[in-house]
């Protein structure tokens, strides 16, 4: 089977069959990653550039590791130490890199739509590693993979996405994916951080009361307050945010069931999540990070064209 898309720009463009294919392929690669020798030759002779115009820890390392596990040749580009600082445009930068016979591009950019723009101008396959406040498709996929691992299916699963929905590309990719795969979604947080249009556009519930959202859900996917993307005052102080929407052990212990807690990282401990939850057995945050490598191997492999799988 093949993906219906040439690039992975967002979950929005994927069919449910595409999503299932990536999750199934990731499961195979996760098995490979349990072996003593974790490397397969699937992308030998494929050269991939990781273009990061915005900071990253998890996504960047995860992609690089995924590429190395697939035997691809990897180049890392950081805007801060490049000729972008001398005024070179995005398209010139990428075309110069591609002229050195690079086959695939992984890109993170603070501008919404940057990978979509590139996809119209270059022949190489592009994977969006996060564009502005638009989408972070591999995060959505690794979140889904982690939920399936825990619950067996997304169909009918109740997922609360909690926090700064307005500035979150993770929320966007999760909403597209979860709704396409039959999950139920509630968005929770302060009214100022939940855009009015999302309820109708995504057919999701909105809940401003944290306790009610937690009572309802099987999984809470908790998001960071993205202060770096906010240019107006959307809530009073981080301390007050923590008092109204921060999740701590006391809140979880007083629910009528045990829920699973997720977070894409980086965590602002003591703001959206207290350490007694982030490091608890209810948290699968580090499993999400682990699963990111297998999911990114699957995305890279499927977008590279058909070559022998995981031998
Ligand atoms: N989840 C995520 O995208 O983390 P990084 O910003 O560290 O890549």
């Amino acid at each position: 089977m093949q993906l219906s898309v040439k690039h992975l720009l967002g979950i929005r463009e994927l069919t449910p069959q595409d999503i299932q294919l990536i999750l199934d392929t990731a499961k195979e690669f996760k098995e490979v990653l349990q072996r003593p020798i974790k490397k397969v030759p699937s992308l030998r002779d494929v050269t991939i550039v990781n273009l990061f115009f915005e900071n990253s820890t998890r996504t960047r390392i995860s992609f690089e590791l995924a590429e190395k596990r697939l035997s691809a040749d990897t180049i890392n580009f950081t805007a801060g130490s490049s000729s972008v600082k001398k005024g070179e445009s995005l398209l010139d930068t990428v075309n110069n890199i591609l002229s050195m016979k690079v086959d695939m591009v992984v890109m993170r950019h603070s501008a919404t739509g940057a990978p979509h723009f590139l996809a119209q101008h270059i022949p190489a396959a592009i994977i969006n590693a996060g564009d502005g406040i638009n989408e972070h498709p591999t995060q959505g996929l690794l979140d889904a993979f982690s939920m399936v691992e825990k619950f067996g299916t997304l169909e009918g699963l109740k997922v609360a996405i909690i926090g700064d929905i307005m500035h979150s590309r993770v929320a966007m990719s999760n909403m597209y994916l979860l709704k396409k795969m039959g999950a139920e979604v509630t968005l929770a947080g302060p009214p100022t951080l939940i855009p009015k249009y999302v309820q109708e556009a995504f057919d999701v519930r909105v809940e401003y009361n944290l306790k009610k959202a937690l009572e309802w859900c099987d999984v809470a996917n908790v998001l960071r307050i993205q202060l770096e993307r906010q240019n107006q005052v959307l809530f009073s102080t981080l301390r007050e945010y923590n008092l109204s929407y921060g999740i701590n052990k006391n809140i979880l212990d007083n629910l009528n069931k045990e829920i699973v807690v997720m977070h894409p990282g980086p965590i602002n401990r003591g703001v959206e999540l207290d350490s007694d939850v982030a490091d608890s057995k209810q948290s699968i945050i580090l499993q999400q990070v682990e699963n990111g490598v297998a999911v990114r191997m699957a995305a890279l492999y499927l977008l590279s064209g058909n070559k022998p799988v995981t031998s």
Side-chain angles (χ1 to χ4, degrees):
M1 274 182 74
Q2 283 190 315
L3 294 175
S4 67
V5 290
K6 182 185 169 199
H7 309 282
L8 179 53
L9 300 177
I11 304 294
R12 180 183 179 155
E13 291 83 11
L14 299 184
T15 63
Q17 292 73 26
D18 289 328
I19 294 167
Q20 194 58 56
L21 178 59
I22 297 171
L23 297 181
D24 291 344
T25 309
K27 196 171 171 196
E28 286 187 54
F29 281 125
K30 181 146 184 193
E31 282 165 21
V32 170
L33 294 174
Q34 312 307 316
R35 297 178 191 165
I37 297 171
K38 300 171 178 58
K39 206 161 174 168
V40 288
S42 309
L43 295 195
R44 199 163 47 203
D45 298 330
V46 175
T47 305
I48 304 170
V49 62
N50 300 313
L51 288 176
F52 278 72
F53 291 85
E54 197 190 82
N55 294 344
S56 169
T57 297
R58 279 147 291 271
T59 311
R60 185 181 163 143
I61 291 173
S62 182
F63 265 113
E64 190 176 345
L65 204 49
E67 290 153 9
K68 289 185 191 308
R69 300 289 193 226
L70 290 166
S71 306
D73 294 320
T74 298
I75 305 159
N76 290 314
F77 166 97
T78 312
S81 57
S82 75
S83 291
V84 169
K85 288 283 171 201
K86 302 175 194 164
E88 192 166 31
S89 73
L90 173 62
L91 194 53
D92 279 342
T93 301
V94 175
N95 272 329
N96 276 273
I97 292 169
L98 292 182
S99 73
M100 295 182 247
K101 308 289 180 240
V102 170
D103 303 299
M104 296 177 77
V105 176
V106 173
M107 185 171 82
R108 170 169 287 193
H109 204 288
S110 58
T112 290
H116 307 70
F117 166 77
L118 262 197
Q120 290 173 349
H121 291 92
I122 65 167
I126 299 171
I127 298 184
N128 179 4
D131 66 317
I133 59 169
N134 179 40
E135 280 219 51
H136 190 348
T138 55
Q139 182 71 44
L141 286 159
L142 76 87
D143 289 348
F145 186 92
S146 305
M147 289 182 216
V148 172
E149 211 172 44
K150 194 78 189 167
F151 293 95
T153 181
L154 295 173
E155 185 76 43
L157 191 68
K158 291 180 173 170
V159 184
I161 305 174
I162 299 170
D164 185 356
I165 310 295
M166 180 179 283
H167 303 96
S168 175
R169 53 199 178 202
V170 176
M172 197 66 94
S173 287
N174 263 264
M175 282 191 281
Y176 278 122
L177 191 151
L178 291 167
K179 292 303 294 184
K180 283 178 195 238
M181 302 307 278
E184 293 181 50
V185 177
T186 290
L187 306 178
T192 47
L193 291 178
I194 303 180
K196 298 271 179 291
Y197 78 93
V198 288
Q199 187 163 10
E200 203 174 321
F202 287 91
D203 186 24
V204 293
R205 299 154 202 249
V206 171
E207 175 59 68
Y208 302 125
N209 181 299
L210 176 67
K211 181 115 194 303
K212 284 187 185 168
L214 294 175
E215 292 281 7
W216 171 85
C217 72
D218 302 308
V219 188
N221 198 352
V222 186
L223 305 174
R224 183 173 66 91
I225 298 292
Q226 302 202 32
L227 290 174
E228 75 275 21
R229 297 192 205 279
Q230 298 182 14
N231 52 15
Q232 54 185 316
V233 180
L234 296 169
F235 55 92
S236 43
T237 63
L238 289 175
R239 177 76 192 132
E240 283 198 29
Y241 180 86
N242 177 257
L243 289 173
S244 301
Y245 292 100
I247 301 178
N248 56 45
K249 188 169 183 303
N250 186 43
I251 294 171
L252 293 190
D253 286 348
N254 283 301
L255 299 178
N256 53 18
K257 60 180 173 184
E258 188 169 296
I259 63 165
V260 168
V261 176
M262 300 174 63
H263 193 301
I267 303 170
N268 286 149
R269 288 173 185 258
V271 181
E272 71 272 11
L273 213 53
D274 282 8
S275 288
D276 57 9
V277 174
D279 304 327
S280 73
K281 66 178 175 48
Q282 282 176 262
S283 155
I284 60 164
I285 294 169
L286 291 180
Q287 286 99 304
Q288 289 174 258
V289 178
E290 179 188 348
N291 289 335
V293 179
V295 164
R296 290 177 174 119
M297 286 173 80
L300 289 161
Y301 167 72
L302 290 166
L303 287 168
S304 72
N306 276 327
K307 294 200 171 190
V309 192
T310 55
S311 56

